[in-house]
Structures are given as structure tokens and as C-alpha cells.
Amino acid sequence: MAATYEPIATTTLTGTQANIEFTSISGAYTDFILTGTVVRTAGSDIEFVLGNGSYDTGSNYSLTYLYGTGSAAGSGRGINATKGNAGYASSTNPMSLTIQAQNYSNTSTYKTLLVRNSPASGDVSAIVNLWRSTSAINQIKLTPNSGSFGAGTSLTLYGIKAA
Amino acid sequence: MIGNIVAGTFSAGVAPVTSSYESIASSTLGSSQSSITFSDGGAWADYKHLQLRVMLRGTDSRTNVSGYLRFNSDSGNNYSSHNLYGNGSSAGSDANGLGNSSVNLRDLISAGSLSNTFHVLIIDILDFANTSKNKTVRILGGNDKNGGGTVSLQSGAWYNTNAITSMNISLDNGDLGTYSSFALYGIKD
């Protein structure tokens, strides 16, 4: 039986890097999962943009998030944003990150992405992002909103193919 | 092997053994329908766990509806659910205690909400065929509507030691809408 859950690409950093992107994502899969550990040079949110051939940098992103700080739980929202959000990563310890996109290559619906963010220090969070575009996703670029990704950051993009 | 699969799905980038995670069945709706059912028929015998990946939108004119997840056609009061959610302004928690007729899927997006927007769910049913214990499900889900929406972590239980041989999703109001998609995967140990 053909593999259902396949690694598509992996990036592991040996030095600092301003952003990480995966391009030319095949539309042969049903869902993709981007998962790994993120090391940061400064504590900040990890943001991302999506696109098909070119990145959408318009105000077409929004999100709803749930977080726990260790002493309180809360929720917030972002609307009409120019980027999606994958949560906060500290500068001292790595963050475990998973971004899931279901039916990412369909051209009939907007794209909803689920994020689980588990930093070693800082807020644990679950985030639902919306990209208001019916375009297929074939590229994703992650960028910290300050500083850079650090050495040891490792992210793998997996494709899941439904029957 | 199963540890790698679970870790690869939800946490650190541990490469899964790809032959252990297999697609069983899927459906994308070309028109609305009242419910969706996945049945075993022998296809699940090789698997230890199941994962149902869902993207849905209801047809009811409200902004949100609730959904029902049931097993083996059991609509008796044999379920419970607990939910941790964020609604964009506050975190909250609620529960449907033992004595409910389904695992409750809350705040599912429906036709009164922002167009082209769907609710996503990842439903894990671990050890679904074990006949020595009741069944527990784990759900990560949510939707965002650019000014509305909910993200939630849920647990559910079916108080029955029978192996799960079918699962059904329906809504409390309206139907499952066009382009709603459902994909069932099996995970081996």
C-alpha cells in the first residue's frame, strides 16, 4: 500500500536564519502537517504566510487562540492580519510546534489551520488560524516577529493522503 | 512504533513509520447530507488506533451548531464530554456528564457564519477495539471567522466495552454541508 503519511521536506538549522519556508508543496496529499522544534534568538511570536506561487501578504489572516500561562488560562483573537500566528517561542528553551492544514489544496474553501504550541517556558497554546483564500496552499514561510530562528531548529513537513 | 506515530502527529518532529498510518476511507460531500458513518466491515482489524480528520460546515442558518459523535449506532445515554475552549475573549470549560446520548462536538460552524469557512476536527480514538475497557476520544478542533470562532480541546467517553465497529457524526440542526470532508485513518502498533 502506498504510504499515507510521508515526510515531504525537512529543515534543520546549524546557524541562525531569518525565516524557514517550504515551497512547491505537492497537491497530491490531502492534509499537511508541519511539525518540529523551534529555537529562537529572542522571545517572540512565530508568524507565517501562505501562498500559491506567491505569498499572500494582504490582510487575509485571522486567528483565535487559547493559552495557559501556568497561573491563568485565557483566549484572544486577531482579525484582518497580514500573517498567521503559530504561537510564542522563548529565547532560552526550544518550542514544540505542530501546524496542521486539512484539505490544503482544495480550491473551494478558505483554509483553516490548527496549531499546537508547547514551549519549554512561556505560554502553552492552541490556535486556529484562517486564511481567507480559496487558493490551494503550495508554500508556507515562517518568520519570528523579532530575532531569528536559532541553530537546532528542526521542522519537517509531512503529507497525509486520504483514500 | 506507535510512539513515533503519535509523536510525529502532535508534537516533536519524530519521523513516523509511514506504513503504520494508513488511510481507511474518506468522503467529501458533493451535496449536503444529514450524517456521515464509517463502518468497520473487517477493514479495521489490522489497526490499534483510529484517527478521524474532519472539515465540516453545517447547513443550518445559525452561526454555530452542535454535533453528535456516536459509536455502534448507540444513541442511548452512554456518553460524556469535557471541553476546554477559547472563544477569543476568554477561556472556559464545560461538560456534558455521563448520561448523554453522544460525545458532544461544540460550536461547529454553520451557514450563518462567514462564507467558505469550515470547522476542523482531529478525533483520536485510541485502543478502539479493546473489549476490556470503555472508550475514550481526544479531539482538537476549532474554527475562526475573522472576528469570531472557537478553538477547543475536548475529551469524550463512550461507556461501553464493545469494540468500536462504526462511528457516526450528525448535527443538532441542519445537515452537513457541501465540501465537508471526512477521512478515517488507522494506526498499527
Side-chain angles (χ1 to χ4, degrees), chain A residues 50-90:
Chain A
L50 303 167
N52 186 301
S54 61
Y55 290 112
D56 182 0
T57 57
S59 301
N60 298 314
Y61 301 84
S62 57
L63 66 145
T64 301
Y65 57 90
L66 167 68
Y67 66 90
T69 66
S71 58
S75 179
R77 197 185 298 291
I79 63 172
N80 298 321
T82 57
K83 300 180 180 70
N85 192 295
Y88 179 87
S90 74

Side-chain angles (χ1 to χ4, degrees), chain A residues 75-154:
Chain A
S75 179
R77 197 185 298 291
I79 63 172
N80 298 321
T82 57
K83 300 180 180 70
N85 192 295
Y88 179 87
S90 74
S91 61
T92 52
N93 291 296
M95 171 185 80
S96 176
L97 172 65
T98 299
I99 301 173
Q100 308 212 34
Q102 293 172 229
N103 291 84
Y104 67 93
S105 61
N106 93 83
T107 55
S108 301
T109 72
Y110 291 164
K111 307 305 180 289
T112 299
L113 291 83
L114 283 172
V115 177
R116 286 281 286 115
N117 174 318
S118 305
S121 56
D123 302 351
V124 62
S125 63
I127 309 168
V128 56
N129 283 267
L130 177 69
W131 180 41
R132 296 191 311 282
S133 172
T134 57
S135 296
I137 299 171
N138 73 0
Q139 53 194 96
I140 178 171
K141 180 166 67 176
L142 292 87
T143 307
N145 67 9
S146 68
S148 302
F149 289 110
T153 296
S154 181

Side-chain angles (χ1 to χ4, degrees), chain B residues 66-117:
Chain B
S66 290
Y68 306 129
L69 171 63
R70 296 186 172 106
F71 300 109
N72 295 16
S73 301
D74 182 5
S75 57
N77 296 329
N78 301 312
Y79 302 84
S80 64
S81 310
H82 288 77
N83 183 46
L84 170 66
Y85 64 87
N87 61 14
S89 60
S90 62
S93 183
D94 55 31
N96 297 94
L98 174 59
N100 276 268
S101 63
S102 75
V103 173
N104 184 43
L105 307 174
R106 74 188 310 278
D107 291 335
L108 305 179
I109 203 167
S110 196
S113 288
L114 180 69
S115 60
N116 297 322
T117 305

Side-chain angles (χ1 to χ4, degrees), chain B residues 17-108:
Chain B
V17 178
T18 56
S19 62
S20 300
Y21 184 101
E22 295 181 345
S23 177
I24 298 173
S26 66
S27 177
T28 299
L29 304 186
S31 60
S32 61
Q33 63 188 53
S34 60
S35 67
I36 183 105
T37 299
F38 289 92
S39 297
D40 183 353
W44 302 358
D46 291 341
Y47 305 111
K48 179 74 169 178
H49 312 295
L50 298 174
Q51 183 177 82
L52 184 62
R53 301 176 70 89
V54 176
M55 191 178 84
L56 69 81
R57 181 179 177 90
T59 62
D60 188 84
S61 60
R62 303 167 208 221
T63 56
N64 295 304
V65 293
S66 290
Y68 306 129
L69 171 63
R70 296 186 172 106
F71 300 109
N72 295 16
S73 301
D74 182 5
S75 57
N77 296 329
N78 301 312
Y79 302 84
S80 64
S81 310
H82 288 77
N83 183 46
L84 170 66
Y85 64 87
N87 61 14
S89 60
S90 62
S93 183
D94 55 31
N96 297 94
L98 174 59
N100 276 268
S101 63
S102 75
V103 173
N104 184 43
L105 307 174
R106 74 188 310 278
D107 291 335
L108 305 179

